[in-house]
Amino acid sequence: MTAQLLDGKATAATIKAELTERVAALAARGVRPGLGTLLVGDDPGSRWYVEGKHRDCAEVGIASIREDLPADATQEDIEAAVRRLNEDPECTGFIVQLPLPRGIDTNRVLELVDPDKDADGLHPTNLGRLVLRVNEPVTSPLPCTPRGIVDLLLRHDVDLHGADVVVVGRGVTVGRSIGLLLTRREINATVTLTHTGTEDLAEHTRNADVIVAAAGVPGIITADIVKPGAVVIDVGVSRATDPETGKSRVVGDVDPGVLEIASWVSPNPGGVGPMTRAMLLTNVVDTAERLAG
């Protein structure tokens, strides 16, 4: 068996095409969604990430709103920028690019974000709404990476109803939040959350229909701990040095040998990453549509 690839790039391109049509429909009603970003400092990786988001906006017709602050910005400076984005009527949703400089109270900054403008879908209020709404529709922003994973699977006709899903990793971005989506009645999966402290990881993964690997540990998911025919989502991101070129490259949590065992595998990079960015745009457009009635 050779696994089929869950192509996040192609799927994200389809989603962007759909969003372009939705944004055009909003424009016909005099509404334009706007994505804001708050970037503090000049970290090359963070700047590259933010600029990529604004390129995505231009591609689908969403307005870009930027708050760029110097690395020596104070807590008060950063909180003032959050308030400006909260109050800006042109801003439908925004993100605070992390990490913030040392000495800044990150949790305080994030909790100041208006939950209705939380483009990442990770504000405590929005996660709390997701916890409470098991049956009824969720009308607040959803966490981007978990939403992207679920959408990637459903668009490839992977049946999650009643599936045994094992999540590896307990971070807020994926591990702690994806179960909230997967166990909603409309999806109806059974979710086990494991992590690097789990004593016998293989005991859980060998019985899983779907594995979501989000531990940030290179190669933690190997072929011998995957059930034949399972679906494996590679989310974790680490960097390793290529022994031939000496250059740093991105590596995931899934060992290449899994391709010979699984039925579907998401590549890393090229799988979940593009879906996360597409879901950020989707949250912004969803919010604009709700505001427009």
Side-chain angles (χ1 to χ4, degrees), residues 36-266:
T37 58
L38 172 53
L39 175 65
V40 183
D42 201 32
D43 175 73
S46 292
R47 184 164 293 279
W48 175 86
Y49 197 63
V50 165
E51 288 173 351
K53 288 176 169 59
H54 289 294
R55 285 194 298 272
D56 290 340
C57 286
E59 192 175 336
V60 302
I62 294 174
S64 290
I65 301 151
R66 297 189 64 148
E67 284 276 357
D68 291 354
L69 300 179
D72 60 355
T74 65
Q75 182 83 27
E76 292 73 20
D77 294 335
I78 297 170
E79 291 181 12
V82 170
R83 285 192 289 271
R84 286 194 294 272
L85 290 167
N86 280 340
E87 295 165 5
D88 186 350
E90 303 299 318
C91 176
T92 313
F94 69 95
I95 64 152
V96 177
Q97 181 62 37
L98 301 179
L100 293 174
R102 186 175 300 176
I104 298 299
D105 186 341
T106 298
N107 287 332
R108 175 174 166 79
V109 170
L110 296 178
E111 290 179 15
L112 284 175
V113 174
D114 180 345
D116 290 335
K117 291 193 173 188
D118 167 32
D120 274 329
L122 293 173
H123 190 281
T125 297
N126 291 329
L127 289 177
R129 289 169 177 162
L130 188 53
V131 169
L132 292 171
R133 296 176 185 176
V134 178
N135 299 307
E136 66 267 40
V138 180
T139 55
S140 52
L142 295 171
C144 292
T145 302
R147 185 180 187 182
I149 292 168
V150 172
D151 202 21
L152 183 64
L153 291 169
L154 295 180
R155 286 175 183 259
H156 286 82
D157 296 322
V158 174
D159 186 9
L160 293 171
H161 188 87
D164 181 357
V165 180
V166 170
V167 179
V168 185
R170 53 188 161 188
V172 174
T173 304
V174 181
R176 301 183 78 81
S177 53
I178 191 168
L180 299 176
L181 284 177
L182 289 170
T183 55
R184 282 176 49 78
R185 201 171 299 278
E186 64 179 352
I187 302 295
N188 232 28
T190 298
V191 179
T192 301
L193 176 60
T194 66
H195 44 77
T196 53
T198 300
E199 289 190 3
D200 190 351
L201 180 62
E203 179 184 352
H204 301 282
T205 58
R206 286 195 182 115
N207 295 314
D209 302 309
V210 180
I211 298 172
V212 179
V217 178
I220 191 173
I221 303 300
T222 52
D224 61 308
I225 67 170
V226 175
K227 180 173 74 173
V231 177
V232 181
I233 308 296
D234 194 354
V235 188
V237 174
S238 305
R239 301 201 73 87
T241 301
D242 190 312
E244 295 182 2
T245 65
K247 294 182 178 180
S248 176
R249 60 184 178 87
V250 171
V251 294
D253 284 4
V254 177
D255 184 85
V258 171
L259 286 166
E260 303 304 319
I261 299 295
S263 59
W264 292 93
V265 173
S266 67

Side-chain angles (χ1 to χ4, degrees), residues 13-25:
T14 298
I15 293 168
K16 286 180 182 178
E18 296 167 356
L19 289 173
T20 301
E21 293 182 3
R22 292 168 62 185
V23 170

